[in-house]
């Protein structure tokens, strides 16, 4: 996504106040809209959460684990248009009607000269997909992994310091490599703990 792409910007009360380029949004720290979709699957009675591995070429948070599919909503897009991110990033066709709405969560991350104030429209997709179904947009996403949802929950509520993930990544030569390893919170995009915890609680309500 280009730094000059135009995004809607909002004030502290979530009123739209204009339009700015993506680079200005992060430089000046305007509130802006994003789309998040978390994939959950149930296999043999066990719930799994799917995570993307961000490409090493990403300007923000390269090589870290993140929401299954996510992206900025452009100035001319509605929340519904966010489903394109799922198809673009991980190659899965999902209808907006099949998503479970988890609400809007706002959060702010600041580091160096980067202020990320996001109004995140968060969705859940109860997936029947297997790892073989994912086709990655390698400039953005270099891998897909899954973790037991109970492990993911315990990680962000600080009951565990590391959890097991498994999946695959596509390396620079285009080869697919298996991932099976333990990761800790440092391997994830540094959203606030409260953000992860709120998402987890909202997902729990939908799958319990």
């Amino acid at each position: 996504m280009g730094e000059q792409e135009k995004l809607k910007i909002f004030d502290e009360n979530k009123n739209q106040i204009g339009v700015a380029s993506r680079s200005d949004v992060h430089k000046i720290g305007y509130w802006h809209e994003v789309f998040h979709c978390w994939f959950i699957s149930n296999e043999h009675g066990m719930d799994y959460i799917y995570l993307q591995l961000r490409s090493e070429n990403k300007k923000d948070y390269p090589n870290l684990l993140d929401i299954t599919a996510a992206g900025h909503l452009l100035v001319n897009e509605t929340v519904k248009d966010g489903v394109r991110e799922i198809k673009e990033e991980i190659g899965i066709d999902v209808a907006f009607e099949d998503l479970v709405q988890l609400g809007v969560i706002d959060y702010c991350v600041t580091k160096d000269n980067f202020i990320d104030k996001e109004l995140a429209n968060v969705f859940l997709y109860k997936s029947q997909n297997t790892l073989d179904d994912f086709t990655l947009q390698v400039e953005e996403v270099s891998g897909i992994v899954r973790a037991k949802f109970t492990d993911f929950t315990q990680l962000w509520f600080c009951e565990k310091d590391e959890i097991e993930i498994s999946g695959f990544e596509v390396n620079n030569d285009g080869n697919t490599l298996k991932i099976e390893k333990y990761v800790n919170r440092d391997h994830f995009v540094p959203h606030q703990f409260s953000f992860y915890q709120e998402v987890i609680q909202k997902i729990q309500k939908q799958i319990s």
Side-chain angles (χ1 to χ4, degrees):
M1 240 197 190
E3 288 296 296
Q4 292 317 305
E5 282 181 327
K6 296 284 189 266
L7 310 178
K8 288 181 273 204
I9 56 172
F10 299 82
D11 65 14
E12 300 295 322
N13 300 318
K14 303 189 175 64
N15 300 312
Q16 189 179 339
I17 51 171
V19 171
S21 69
R22 182 174 166 138
S23 60
D24 281 350
V25 160
H26 291 143
K27 199 157 55 192
I28 298 164
Y30 290 120
W31 286 99
H32 57 288
E33 287 182 306
V34 293
F35 173 88
H36 290 177
C37 185
W38 297 87
F39 277 41
I40 286 270
S41 69
N42 186 290
E43 293 158 54
H44 311 298
M46 175 72 70
D47 290 310
Y48 292 92
I49 190 163
Y50 282 76
L51 304 157
Q52 67 162 259
L53 180 63
R54 293 168 70 87
S55 160
E56 64 181 17
N57 309 317
K58 291 285 281 184
K59 186 164 174 275
D60 324 325
Y61 315 123
N63 292 325
L64 291 179
L65 295 166
D66 203 2
I67 300 148
T68 327
H72 288 76
L73 291 176
L74 303 180
V75 66
N76 57 346
E77 290 186 309
T78 65
V79 174
K80 257 185 166 166
D81 295 319
V83 291
R84 71 168 169 75
E85 292 287 349
I86 306 173
K87 178 73 174 161
E88 281 173 17
E89 289 192 342
I90 57 177
I92 306 261
D93 246 327
V94 177
F96 184 75
E97 294 65 38
D98 293 337
L99 300 180
V100 179
Q101 197 154 4
L102 299 182
V104 178
I105 304 177
D106 46 352
Y107 64 94
C108 174
V109 178
T110 308
K111 66 172 177 69
D112 308 332
N113 300 320
F114 183 75
I115 310 165
D116 202 11
K117 288 184 168 181
E118 300 200 336
L119 302 172
N121 297 277
V122 184
F123 293 88
L124 174 66
Y125 181 59
K126 294 177 181 176
S127 168
Q128 304 292 318
N129 299 99
T130 65
L131 284 164
D132 298 337
D133 296 335
F134 292 89
T135 310
L136 307 184
Q137 181 186 16
V138 285
E139 312 80 54
E140 302 272 334
V141 181
S142 57
I144 287 281
V145 300
R146 66 178 200 178
K148 288 178 183 167
F149 184 63
T150 49
D151 286 351
F152 184 75
T153 299
Q154 290 175 315
L155 183 71
W156 290 108
F157 282 90
C158 299
E159 292 156 21
K160 276 188 174 172
D161 284 327
E162 56 174 27
I163 62 171
E164 193 174 1
I165 59 168
S166 62
F168 71 92
E169 67 179 311
V170 179
N171 69 9
N172 285 336
D173 304 328
N175 297 322
T176 301
L177 309 174
K178 207 168 173 183
I179 299 177
E180 271 184 19
K181 62 179 183 178
Y182 281 84
V183 293
N184 60 36
R185 286 178 287 273
D186 293 340
H187 291 94
F188 287 80
V189 171
H191 304 302
Q192 291 148 330
F193 275 45
S194 58
F195 170 77
Y196 280 113
Q197 291 172 356
E198 194 174 339
V199 166
I200 286 166
Q201 287 167 332
K202 285 174 182 288
I203 292 176
Q204 281 171 335
K205 282 191 184 130
Q206 298 296 333
I207 62 174
S208 56

